[in-house]
Amino acid sequence: MVEIDERELEERVNILKRFRQMLIEQKKRFVSYLELLDREEDAILKGEMDKLEKQVEIEKGIVDEITDFQRVIEPLDKIYAKISPENDDSITKLKFSLSRMKEKVLKRNKRNRMLLEEKMGELRQEIKSLRINKEAPSPFASIGVPTLIDITT
């Protein structure tokens, strides 16, 4: 059995704690993203475009945070794999939970996109039906085709 000194053990424990903390924070980000997607769905269904616009701005921020956290988590995951060949059950569960959350987010996001496309199609149809004919009919159009020409002057 390989013995490790106190300092290395403490370093491993700190890495494990930091890694676990980052995974938990990432999970919180996904939960808030799912809640936002629910609110977006409501706004789409109710046709509240101002509210939807604000939520899309918030969504961009959350997605950026998730991406930033992922950049930190990936190197920690590699370090954790090197220092701890036997996987900690809690870390494995957290990773699995995160992957399920990602799947939920992707499904919900896809559903919202489809709802938004439907709503946009409905709005396009409504706009087409409201368009005024650009060529107004002439008041003389119903007179018919002339058959005689007056050449007297």
Side-chain angles (χ1 to χ4, degrees):
M1 186 167 190
V2 178
E3 293 204 19
I4 54 176
D5 64 357
E6 189 81 22
R7 190 175 109 334
E8 188 176 340
L9 180 63
E10 187 176 317
E11 194 175 293
R12 287 182 180 189
V13 168
N14 287 336
I15 290 173
L16 176 63
K17 285 180 182 178
R18 181 74 176 142
F19 186 46
R20 181 179 289 126
Q21 178 186 7
M22 295 303 284
L23 290 174
I24 290 169
E25 286 296 317
Q26 185 75 320
K27 187 176 179 180
K28 288 178 184 176
R29 298 283 187 270
F30 277 117
V31 168
S32 66
Y33 190 33
L34 281 172
E35 291 169 355
L36 179 72
L37 288 173
D38 285 338
R39 291 191 305 267
E40 279 183 6
E41 182 180 2
D42 290 340
I44 291 169
L45 292 173
K46 293 177 181 176
E48 298 171 337
M49 293 305 136
D50 292 336
K51 192 174 182 182
L52 180 64
E53 183 179 356
K54 290 176 186 174
Q55 289 168 344
V56 168
E57 290 175 19
I58 295 170
E59 179 180 5
K60 288 177 186 175
I62 292 174
V63 169
D64 289 343
E65 287 177 6
I66 288 172
T67 304
D68 291 344
F69 263 83
Q70 195 60 37
R71 287 186 191 138
V72 173
I73 288 173
E74 287 173 2
L76 279 175
D77 190 20
K78 290 177 184 175
I79 292 170
Y80 174 71
K82 284 181 184 176
I83 64 169
S84 181
E86 65 283 339
N87 287 335
D88 183 3
D89 194 37
S90 65
I91 296 293
T92 306
K93 287 179 182 178
L94 274 171
K95 284 181 176 180
F96 182 70
S97 176
L98 265 177
S99 68
R100 281 196 331 243
M101 294 289 277
K102 284 180 189 178
E103 289 172 14
K104 285 181 183 179
V105 163
L106 291 174
K107 285 180 184 177
R108 191 84 47 88
N109 202 343
K110 184 177 179 180
R111 185 173 71 201
N112 281 1
R113 277 195 315 258
M114 289 172 44
L115 283 173
L116 192 56
E117 286 175 14
E118 274 181 38
K119 196 68 161 176
M120 287 174 59
E122 290 171 9
L123 288 173
R124 284 187 190 109
Q125 290 299 326
E126 188 176 328
I127 289 170
K128 282 182 183 179
S129 70
L130 294 176
R131 284 197 178 146
I132 299 172
N133 192 357
K134 290 183 181 179
E135 293 181 24
S138 167
F140 302 108
S142 62
I143 294 175
V145 180
T147 54
L148 298 173
I149 302 176
D150 184 14
I151 54 171
T152 61
T153 40

